[in-house]
Amino acid sequence: MKRISIIGSTGSIGTQTLEIVRENKEYEVVALACGRNIELMERQMREFHPSFVAVGSEEDAASLRDATRDLGIPVGYGMDGLIKTAAWETADVTVTAIVGMIGVQPTLAAIEAGKDIALANKETLVTAGHLVMKAAAEKGVKILPVDSEHSAIFQSLQGNKGNRISRILLTASGGPFRGRTREELENVTLEDALKHPNWSMGQKITIDSATMVNKGLEVIEATWLFDVPPEKVEVLVQPQSIIHSAVEYEDGAVIAQLGTPDMKLPIQYALTWPERKYLAGERLDFTKLSAITLAQPDRKTFLGLDFAYRAAAEGGIIPTALNAANELAVADFLKKKIRFLDIYDRIAYAMDTAQKIDDPSIEDILAEEKAVGERLRAKFG
Ligand code: NAD
Ligand code: MG
């Protein structure tokens, strides 16, 4: 029996994780946390009977407690509730399916409590990768990637321990605006940006895919997960999302993982590793594939990649400045307060104005998140 805690259980990754739990008798859910969707949380409580749940606000916690009085499950809230969920005593593995760098403290708390981490929440590795990987090594816990590309890389590394990696080939769909010029991006709408060609995901990562900031965050994520410098992570556009990523070894062999675009495979693999288990779903039919094409990303138009290579090279607090500015800008874009290309201006400004801090502590990281908000408000209103 594997006992699972999930932070972000009502989102895209969270609900797909619960679908896997539903199909597998050997998984038990012990704690769940979400932000605002308390109706869905109530249904999850009634189906999975966790020992603890948490929601975003105190008011929602009170409503949920009222609605589920018959279950007698304690309901927490806020950062305290997230940390309790992530580090829940009986959990073996914590799935970090929450969006944004709000996941940093709960993830560190889970590691501190000795939980393995099935990590979807890439913003945590981008901002606090040095702290997360160090704590995981000290505690002897595993960080198992859920992000499809990183799962593909992880799968391509199996059985190759000790062999030197010459490159990681990180694939990207290119998002809904692949092939467009900067001028053509000036007036794109929120609705256009939310139409991802291959994946149905939460809104924030969908916008990040359109700007290619997502791929940038994934470059940084890969440097931490696989201990490689950023120049060894090469991004390739693979519009059909069939090759999920690959590893090139020093003898020239390229090992890749291919499959239909379905997040359930990487989620399940993070839970079953080192084993594989049956997973229902569509299979690749190579005879019906019209093409698998590969191309260089357009880094002049989609600035997300250049920001990330620069942040990874500079290190320290700079990836936090990038990530925090992106989170704020995407939130404003989702509220239709700013235009698509404004996201890039805000990230560039936050990175340019960051004070250099090497080896930032958790306090430095959270302080920079706040400071980025202040700098952006002062500059852009
Ligand atoms: P989502 O928006 O669908 O879900 C986010 C979850 O986090 C929800 O349960 C929400 O309630 C919860 N949450 C948000 N703010 C919270 C708060 N303040 N307190 C408590 N809970 C809060 O997002 P998603 O698409 O599932 O993405 C989750 C993470 O996984 C992100 O880091 C994303 O980059 C990563 N990821 C997602 C996919 C995908 O297919 N969706 C693929 C790869 C990586
Ligand atoms: Mg991905």
Side-chain angles (χ1 to χ4, degrees):
M1 184 65 78
K2 198 169 237 182
R3 284 161 301 200
I4 299 176
S5 143
I6 308 172
I7 53 169
S9 66
T10 58
S12 163
I13 295 291
T15 53
Q16 292 183 86
T17 305
L18 288 172
E19 282 176 43
I20 288 164
V21 171
R22 194 178 282 132
E23 299 295 319
N24 287 280
K25 296 275 166 289
E26 57 271 45
Y27 297 141
E28 186 193 339
V29 172
V30 294
L32 296 173
C34 78
R36 287 198 287 235
N37 192 346
I38 60 169
E39 285 80 24
L40 180 52
M41 179 56 93
E42 178 177 346
R43 275 183 270 138
Q44 293 181 346
M45 289 163 79
R46 295 193 179 282
E47 178 175 358
F48 295 99
H49 298 280
S51 308
F52 179 76
V53 303
V55 297
S57 73
E58 187 171 3
E59 303 78 65
D60 279 346
S63 313
L64 187 60
R65 231 174 267 133
D66 273 349
T68 60
R69 212 164 277 287
D70 57 309
L71 298 174
I73 298 171
V75 181
Y77 61 89
M79 184 50 72
D80 181 56
L82 272 177
I83 288 175
K84 261 193 193 144
T85 305
W88 191 253
E89 199 183 343
T90 56
D92 301 309
V93 54
T94 301
V95 180
T96 63
I98 195 165
V99 57
M101 59 182 292
I102 190 174
V104 169
Q105 289 164 283
T107 304
L108 287 171
I111 295 169
E112 212 44 56
K115 316 299 175 193
D116 286 334
I117 307 292
L119 185 140
N121 177 227
K122 67 191 82 182
E123 295 90 348
T124 283
L125 273 192
V126 168
T127 55
H130 59 300
L131 301 177
V132 168
M133 298 315 287
K134 185 163 171 260
E138 280 168 8
K139 284 282 166 183
V141 308
K142 294 177 199 73
I143 308 290
L144 298 150
V146 168
D147 210 346
S148 59
E149 297 77 3
H150 303 74
S151 175
I153 295 160
F154 183 57
Q155 292 177 58
S156 303
L157 289 167
Q158 299 304 307
N160 284 300
K161 217 173 173 183
N163 288 314
R164 253 183 301 178
I165 298 173
S166 59
R167 278 191 298 174
I168 282 178
L169 300 166
L170 185 73
T171 53
S173 70
F177 302 141
R178 182 175 55 89
R180 299 221 192 161
T181 62
R182 188 169 167 100
E183 293 68 52
E184 288 168 336
L185 292 180
E186 252 156 38
N187 295 311
V188 293
T189 65
L190 173 61
E191 290 71 22
D192 295 332
L194 284 173
K195 280 185 205 132
H196 196 280
N198 304 339
W199 301 94
S200 158
M201 311 180 284
Q203 290 198 328
K204 191 257 176 186
I205 184 175
T206 303
I207 301 306
D208 288 351
S209 300
T211 55
M212 285 194 79
V213 168
N214 180 53
K215 209 49 56 180
L217 300 180
E218 291 187 356
V219 168
I220 303 175
E221 183 183 14
T223 65
W224 289 117
L225 285 171
F226 308 115
D227 194 22
V228 290
E231 57 278 11
K232 283 198 174 185
V233 184
E234 191 175 320
V235 174
L236 278 175
V237 175
Q238 207 287 278
Q240 299 84 13
S241 297
I242 301 285
I243 303 177
H244 295 308
S245 281
V247 177
E248 184 189 280
Y249 291 92
E250 61 182 341
D251 62 357
V254 178
I255 315 269
Q257 186 250 325
L258 282 66
T260 54
D262 182 352
M263 282 310 294
K264 277 208 230 143
L265 189 147
I267 297 170
Q268 175 170 291
Y269 191 68
L271 297 174
T272 62
W273 178 85
E275 282 159 40
R276 289 181 183 275
K277 288 195 66 168
Y278 176 75
L279 180 66
E282 224 186 297
R283 298 305 189 238
L284 264 190
D285 182 346
F286 285 96
T287 61
K288 287 196 184 128
L289 279 180
S290 55
I292 298 180
T293 52
L294 290 156
Q296 294 271 12
D298 174 1
R299 287 171 59 162
K300 293 250 157 5
T301 306
F302 298 94
L303 302 178
L305 283 177
D306 278 14
F307 289 144
Y309 280 109
R310 180 184 145 197
E314 288 181 31
I317 203 73
I318 305 301
T320 296
L322 186 180
N323 181 76
N326 182 57
E327 287 190 26
L328 291 167
V330 171
D332 279 351
F333 180 67
L334 286 170
K335 288 185 208 135
K336 299 193 176 185
K337 284 189 185 164
I338 64 171
R339 292 177 316 154
F340 186 75
L341 291 174
D342 294 338
I343 298 172
Y344 294 141
D345 296 345
R346 281 157 173 76
I347 295 171
Y349 184 74
M351 288 173 68
D352 289 344
T353 54
Q355 301 286 328
K356 213 168 146 48
I357 305 175
D358 293 324
D359 199 19
S361 65
I362 177 82
E363 291 77 22
D364 293 331
I365 291 167
L366 299 178
E368 177 62 9
E369 180 186 27
K370 206 161 149 244
V372 164
E374 284 156 13
R375 296 206 295 281
L376 292 185
R377 261 192 306 281
K379 171 81 179 170
F380 299 100

